Amino acid sequence: MLVYLNMGAKKLVIHHGGSWVANCYEGGMTKWVHVPIGLTYDDLVKLVQDVAKVEAHRSTLELCSFAFTTTGTARLRIENDKDVSCMMDEDKLLPEVYVTVSKKVATHCVQNGTILEEDDNLVHSTFLQQCNLPTPQPMYGGFLWQLATCGSIPMLDPIVCNDETIDDEENSKSSDTDNRDDSSIPDIDRGSHGHEDCNHSVGSGAGSVGGHGCDGLSGFATFSGDSFREDGLGDGVDQSCEHASPQGWIIPRSERYSFEPISKEESISDDGRLYKGKIFQCKKDLKRTLHMYALKEQFEVRIRRSSKTRYEAGCKDGECEFQLRAFKMQKGEYWVIRMFLKDHTCNIDGFHARLRQANSWTGGELLAPKLQVHGHSLKPKHIMVEMQVDHGLHLLYTKAWRAKDHAEASVFGPPEESFKLLPAYCHRLKEVNPVTITTMKTNVANQFEYLFIAHAASLHGFYTVIRPVIAIDGTHLKGKFSGIMFVAICLDANNQVFPLAYGFSDVEDEMSWTWFLNELKNAIGSPKDCMIISDRHLGIKAAMEKVYPIVPHGYCVFHMAQNIKNDYKRKDVSLLFKQAWKAYRKADFKEVMLEMMKVNRVAFEDLINVGPERWSRAYSPVRRYRLMTSSIAESMNSCLVHARQMPITTMVEIIREMLQKWFYKRRTKAEKTRTQLTPWATELIQERNKDSEKYTVRPIDSVNFNVKDGNKDGLVNLSEKTCSCTKFQVDKLSCRHALAAIRYAKKLFPDFCGDCYKTTSWLEAYSGNIFPVGHPSEWNIPQDVRSKVVHSPPFRAQAGRPKKKRFKSAGEHGNGKTRNCTICK
């Protein structure tokens, strides 16, 4: 709506929806708006069309106003800018405009012996142009529906989209029910139109493109089978499959129906999008549109008849004239509205009712578009608030939960069927990303157990430049079948998370961790100086002893600190533990541990029994490169907090898309970096350099320097890149002592840092690409892959909160009897 709010604005009253009786305007609605004083006629017409919701190409407007004369009031027509100026200058409190809407008179033309109206002729020519374009692909409910419809995977259990008609059984008993047989439905698609050689049924594709050789529909082009397969929708599809492949878009006698485009505003709202002749792809779309229209107009719908070929609905008030009647086209899946009376003649009781159509199905349909955009659903309590604010619906928690489930199933497909997509998806993933590793295991009943994925781009980065310190962790999935997600993460040259591999399992135990680590070993082997860091999960510990008996297994110091805090309840022990694991020198480590033995000998003995080589820097058998915790794996899990609610195939695709985005953005940032070190390493060196300026350097020779720091000093060897504080050689980054010596020797700082921190290594780590799997219609799945069947794992309901035992009152006994009160008897 056009709204003008400025210093030269004036109020204007618009009356619309009524009619003239003699010299009086009766009925309709009234609305006032702000307009500029210099309002033009064209702006006024646009404003009136917006307020009265009038379509300019279908209706004409007559604008009038009243003027006060000596003999009374006179009705004046507004036709140009001068009339508008006179109305605005009229000496009265508020100028008023009275709107009368009338439909345009249709012009006729004759084509092929058929009389067409103006609108029909426009649609006729528009549809002819559309027929020369590639066949549009049908709309599917989600990733699962796309693949299943295209026939790329076997479906032993047919995917059925349930027709959840609201209150069909109850409303079929209404007195307004039309009991005529469905055979009396008008023949919308007659198949043949005076030519025995042609069959223009929906999807037949009998005619050639351009309509040569067969007239068929007057002037209409059809699609042949060859032209349909050129779009890729029919390639590689088993025609004997139970699920038919997508058909060509051929709608007989479509000149009767409207194909005008929907603007952005109209696509968001269904207001005004119900009209006679409108076509829907399926009955579900018809019901959705009707229910949204009823919710917006705040009235209650009663379904009078609903069958496989007919759908009738009316207002709750049986005497109201509001009515919608739609039929299914013969030999196709499209539905068309044949009757629509939108004006209500009921009383106020028909409006603002309890809105029976506002059920979980409708709520799910309202949430589905937002779920497609955002990629994650809301919590039920947030859905309750959103429905009340946006649509005025008051949903209970259980209904909001069911609406959430329906929206997720509508967009992503049922969780049970998502497991059947895995073989085809993994095959396609390896096809577009060669060298990618995907391994899946099922039990004897073909139920899902394990899945392992390592992208080729991640493996390339790990083989070439990534530091061989891997953090592994597991996190719980929040979908219907729950399960566990495993991740293996490293750090790149810029100290950012670098996903190496990930996997899924139905449970987390020693067997699942053993399987995941075995697949990880098959993918990367046992690199030199490699270390794997994790929490102290017993399953991980046992699996490491089986799979990686030689590779050092480090513990996450954060989890150990939490255990110390909970076990000993002493801050001094926690602080001493922090100083112990952060120490680089063995002398510093021993000093702190001796102090801990004095403070708490039990804590000291427990840490020694765990093994300092598992949690300390000073005694680590290999370099840990400042990586002391498994928090990088947990940060990866936090990035997937919404994805972990999705069905498994959708979740894998979200992860792939996230990695694709990460690789592109970081590669682009690395290409734009002009420093020799990465931004993170450059900042760290700059901070250390500021502190090193206070140190005193005593040279020994050209490569050895004694750096005085006022504490334990440092003996630096620039040739071997070592320092007595051990930071230089452990982290492969110049320590403060080394920076002071490098500055004294007039050398460059980046030359004494490890290659794993340089921009070239950062760029090389993300040099690979992760390509999308594409539209399922483009997948060419071999027969041996399509024959694989993967069922969902057994459903395990989450254990609820235990019931609290109520304390019995003084008058209750175990046998259920009560005793009399000691006071009143």
Side-chain angles (χ1 to χ4, degrees), residues 59 88 164 320 417 479 657 763 809:
S59 306
M88 299 297 292
E164 306 175 19
C320 179
E417 303 295 339
E657 186 175 1
L763 181 60
S809 62

Side-chain angles (χ1 to χ4, degrees), residues 206-225:
S208 60
V209 178
H212 299 292
C214 170
D215 294 335
L217 299 175
S218 60
F220 276 78
T222 56
F223 294 91
S224 67

Side-chain angles (χ1 to χ4, degrees), residues 52-53 271-275 293 297 299 320-324 339-345 351:
K53 299 180 180 179
D271 182 25
R273 300 312 305 169
L274 284 177
Y275 51 83
Y293 180 84
E297 299 297 330
F299 70 93
C320 179
E321 293 183 358
F322 175 85
Q323 188 175 3
L324 181 142
M339 176 186 293
F340 181 62
L341 303 177
K342 67 177 182 179
D343 295 331
H344 286 267
T345 58
F351 294 85

Side-chain angles (χ1 to χ4, degrees), residues 590-691:
K590 293 178 180 179
E591 181 181 347
V592 175
M593 292 303 293
L594 288 176
E595 184 66 22
M596 181 179 290
M597 184 175 61
K598 297 177 183 179
V599 174
N600 192 318
R601 190 176 184 86
V602 177
F604 169 80
E605 292 177 353
D606 289 344
L607 291 174
I608 295 299
N609 292 333
V610 171
E613 70 280 359
R614 294 184 181 272
W615 55 268
S616 68
R617 279 188 177 132
Y619 285 89
S620 178
V622 295
R623 293 188 180 93
R624 294 185 66 150
Y625 294 95
R626 299 172 55 89
L627 186 58
M628 303 299 297
T629 69
S630 60
S631 58
I632 58 172
E634 296 182 0
S635 63
M636 176 72 175
N637 297 334
S638 64
C639 295
L640 303 171
V641 62
H642 297 294
R644 288 187 278 127
Q645 304 176 12
M646 305 302 174
I648 185 168
T649 306
T650 303
M651 178 167 43
V652 173
E653 174 61 16
I654 291 176
I655 296 174
R656 187 213 59 78
E657 186 175 1
M658 182 185 70
L659 297 185
Q660 172 189 335
K661 178 181 178 181
W662 284 5
F663 270 66
Y664 170 76
K665 292 181 66 176
R666 295 175 183 178
R667 179 171 61 247
T668 304
K669 188 175 181 179
E671 291 173 349
K672 296 179 180 180
T673 302
R674 295 294 176 260
T675 56
Q676 191 171 354
L677 298 178
T678 62
W680 170 83
T682 301
E683 183 179 357
L684 181 62
I685 292 297
Q686 289 175 351
E687 293 178 357
R688 291 181 176 180
N689 186 44
K690 292 180 181 179
D691 298 335

Side-chain angles (χ1 to χ4, degrees), residues 53 269-271 291-299:
K53 299 180 180 179
S269 173
D270 288 320
D271 182 25
H291 292 164
M292 303 308 168
Y293 180 84
L295 289 177
K296 186 173 182 64
E297 299 297 330
Q298 291 292 308
F299 70 93

Side-chain angles (χ1 to χ4, degrees), residues 18 39 144 150 217 227 328 367 453 511 572 584 651 660 690 806:
L39 182 68
L144 174 66
C150 293
L217 299 175
S227 64
K328 181 180 179 181
L367 292 173
I453 298 178
M511 292 181 59
D572 52 356
Y584 281 88
M651 178 167 43
Q660 172 189 335
K690 292 180 181 179
R806 184 175 63 86

Side-chain angles (χ1 to χ4, degrees), residues 18-131:
S19 59
W20 291 99
V21 179
N23 203 30
C24 298
Y25 190 85
E26 298 182 355
M29 302 176 62
T30 302
K31 186 176 182 64
W32 63 271
V33 295
H34 288 83
V35 296
I37 295 179
L39 182 68
T40 63
Y41 178 76
D42 293 337
D43 292 339
L44 178 61
V45 172
K46 293 179 181 179
L47 180 62
V48 170
Q49 291 174 352
D50 192 15
V51 172
K53 299 180 180 179
V54 177
E55 298 179 357
H57 66 282
R58 295 183 180 273
S59 306
T60 58
L61 296 177
E62 179 182 343
L63 308 181
C64 297
S65 181
F66 280 116
F68 296 96
T69 63
T70 57
T71 59
T73 58
R75 186 175 71 179
L76 304 176
R77 294 188 62 179
I78 303 174
E79 297 178 340
N80 49 44
D81 293 343
K82 294 182 179 180
D83 297 340
V84 176
S85 178
C86 292
M87 176 191 67
M88 299 297 292
D89 296 338
E90 179 70 15
D91 187 15
K92 57 182 179 179
L93 183 61
L94 292 175
E96 298 176 294
V97 175
Y98 297 86
V99 182
T100 304
V101 182
S102 58
K103 294 184 178 180
K104 287 185 178 180
V105 179
T107 59
H108 297 80
C109 63
V110 179
Q111 182 174 350
N112 295 341
T114 304
I115 299 179
L116 301 176
E117 293 186 356
E118 181 182 15
D119 291 345
D120 294 333
N121 194 35
L122 176 63
V123 172
H124 179 84
S125 60
T126 304
F127 189 72
L128 275 175
Q129 298 175 2
Q130 293 178 352
C131 288

